Amino acid sequence: MNILNVINNIRILPPEEQIKALSELKESLSEDEVTQIIQVASTINPPWFRNALLKAVNKIRTITPLNESEKLIKEKVIDDNAYNIEEIKSEAVAESIGQIIHELSPIIGSLELAASKELILYDSSKTKNEIERLQELIDMFSAWKRAELRPNYRLVNIYSIVSEEVQRLEEKNSELSFVKNIDHELTFSLDVSLVRTIISNALRNAVESSKQVIGRDIGPIVINSGCMDRSLWLSVIDDGIGLSQSEEVLFQSRYTTKVGNSGLGLSIVKKSISSMKGVWNLKNSLPNGAEFYFEIPKGDN
């Protein structure tokens, strides 16, 4: 059996079929073939597929990929003074954002109450849509504030977090389906608020992209996750319209794929992952859609 050919044949399958193929692969491998997979793992991209492959053969290792931008997390010695300066800056930003939220939240609440009483068709009005956009912006500021503060680590169940976020989206998007390739008992030490923000944003983007497809059937949104030696990885893969810009543009601050949006979403995701000393990536998937991936090390308070 040519291991690289087998891996490449699985890689070109739709995401939901890859899960089944990886599961079946485990049953057909010899010990020598498992060893070969471990030896070539560092050449396999994207990272989520490499990790899913290693997970399937029960040989999880910390593999350093060849691509410099996708190197796995390493512990660094951080200068205490520099760290303290950055922490002070972040706390100042968080306090400023808190003041904005404090001032705007009651105004938006009063506006919504007045509009609902004065407009007969408020529920179907453009006014309601605009007020909801304002509330979404406040929610975005709240997420930004959390991302500026020092992470509060605790042991959490990853499957539960993903399931809760998926359930919220399923209630409003019954035409879409989701596949969770995550162990029910998968737990990890992380900041639950930050990770929830990251996963929520990734799933919402996947939903928006999927809903814009015209003229073909839509595959499910697939969420994969697992643990390596000292890190957690998670990927969200959709079958939507994909990304219209290059990766260089995607990583610029304020980039957005949605008309009328502020572009803060990816910036907050980047900040949230950076706060936990993690890495992330976003790129087009095969044959359609996009792949979002992040990896964070185990944290301690």
Side-chain angles (χ1 to χ4, degrees):
M1 180 189 300
N2 187 312
I3 290 299
L4 287 179
N5 286 343
V6 172
I7 293 173
N8 288 333
N9 288 337
I10 296 176
R11 180 69 189 94
I12 62 176
L13 294 173
E16 67 274 17
E17 294 182 20
Q18 289 175 354
I19 297 171
K20 180 181 179 182
L22 286 172
S23 177
E24 294 175 347
L25 176 65
K26 175 184 174 182
E27 304 301 326
S28 62
L29 293 175
S30 66
E31 285 298 321
D32 288 341
E33 289 165 341
V34 170
T35 301
Q36 291 178 48
I37 288 178
I38 296 173
Q39 290 173 344
V40 301
S42 63
T43 67
I44 300 171
N45 280 304
W48 76 263
F49 182 76
R50 174 178 63 248
N51 292 339
L53 176 64
L54 291 172
K55 175 183 174 182
V57 298
N58 287 334
K59 295 292 181 179
I60 303 302
R61 295 290 186 272
T62 302
I63 303 297
T64 303
L66 298 182
N67 189 333
E68 184 69 21
S69 67
E70 295 177 342
K71 279 189 175 181
L72 298 183
I73 304 147
K74 296 181 179 179
E75 294 184 0
K76 297 179 180 179
V77 177
I78 302 174
D79 180 79
D80 288 340
N81 291 331
Y83 179 80
N84 288 337
I85 291 173
E86 289 303 314
E87 187 174 19
I88 291 170
K89 288 180 179 179
S90 289
E91 288 179 354
V93 171
E95 183 176 352
S96 299
I97 295 173
Q99 289 296 322
I100 294 173
I101 297 171
H102 177 75
E103 296 295 331
L104 287 182
S105 292
I107 295 175
I108 295 174
S110 298
L111 180 61
E112 181 178 20
L113 180 61
S116 63
K117 290 183 177 180
E118 295 174 7
L119 297 179
I120 298 176
L121 299 177
Y122 173 72
D123 286 340
S124 59
S125 68
K126 184 177 180 180
T127 300
K128 181 180 180 181
N129 291 335
E130 295 302 315
I131 291 176
E132 287 179 345
R133 287 185 62 187
L134 283 173
Q135 185 56 57
E136 289 175 359
L137 188 59
I138 291 296
D139 293 341
M140 193 76 73
F141 275 122
S142 297
W144 186 359
K145 178 183 177 182
R146 289 195 298 270
E148 291 289 350
L149 298 174
R150 178 181 291 189
N152 180 25
Y153 293 102
R154 64 184 177 88
L155 195 64
V156 297
N157 184 285
I158 305 303
Y159 181 85
S160 296
I161 293 176
V162 172
S163 296
E164 290 168 6
E165 296 302 321
V166 166
Q167 184 177 0
R168 291 190 183 95
L169 292 170
E170 283 178 327
E171 293 172 355
K172 297 181 179 180
N173 305 278
S174 57
E175 73 279 15
L176 299 177
S177 60
F178 297 79
V179 174
K180 294 172 289 188
N181 183 29
I182 307 173
D183 293 338
H184 285 56
E185 303 303 320
L186 178 61
T187 57
F188 200 75
S189 179
L190 44 73
D191 185 303
V192 64
S193 295
L194 294 180
V195 169
R196 193 180 292 278
T197 294
I198 298 164
I199 295 173
S200 176
N201 186 279
L203 288 174
R204 288 200 308 271
N205 286 342
V207 167
E208 290 295 328
S209 178
S210 298
K211 291 170 67 174
Q212 293 181 54
V213 172
I214 300 175
R216 63 175 173 83
D217 294 333
I218 306 298
I221 295 170
V222 180
I223 307 104
N224 299 291
S225 186
C227 285
M228 303 204 351
D229 286 347
R230 285 190 54 80
S231 62
L232 169 81
W233 62 271
L234 185 142
S235 67
V236 176
I237 309 170
D238 65 66
D239 191 37
I241 60 173
L243 307 171
S244 60
Q245 302 288 344
S246 65
E247 290 182 42
E248 288 77 12
V249 175
L250 287 174
F251 287 105
Q252 291 177 3
S253 178
R254 302 299 298 278
Y255 176 81
T256 178
T257 57
K258 304 170 194 171
V259 177
N261 274 34
S262 63
L264 287 173
L266 283 179
S267 296
I268 293 173
V269 164
K270 179 180 179 180
K271 178 65 177 178
S272 298
I273 294 173
S274 176
S275 293
M276 294 183 286
K277 300 180 175 61
V279 293
W280 69 294
N281 206 346
L282 178 62
K283 61 176 64 178
N284 279 315
S285 181
L286 296 173
N288 305 296
E291 301 176 1
F292 171 79
Y293 171 87
F294 75 88
E295 185 177 323
I296 55 176
K298 186 175 295 184
D300 298 303
N301 288 317

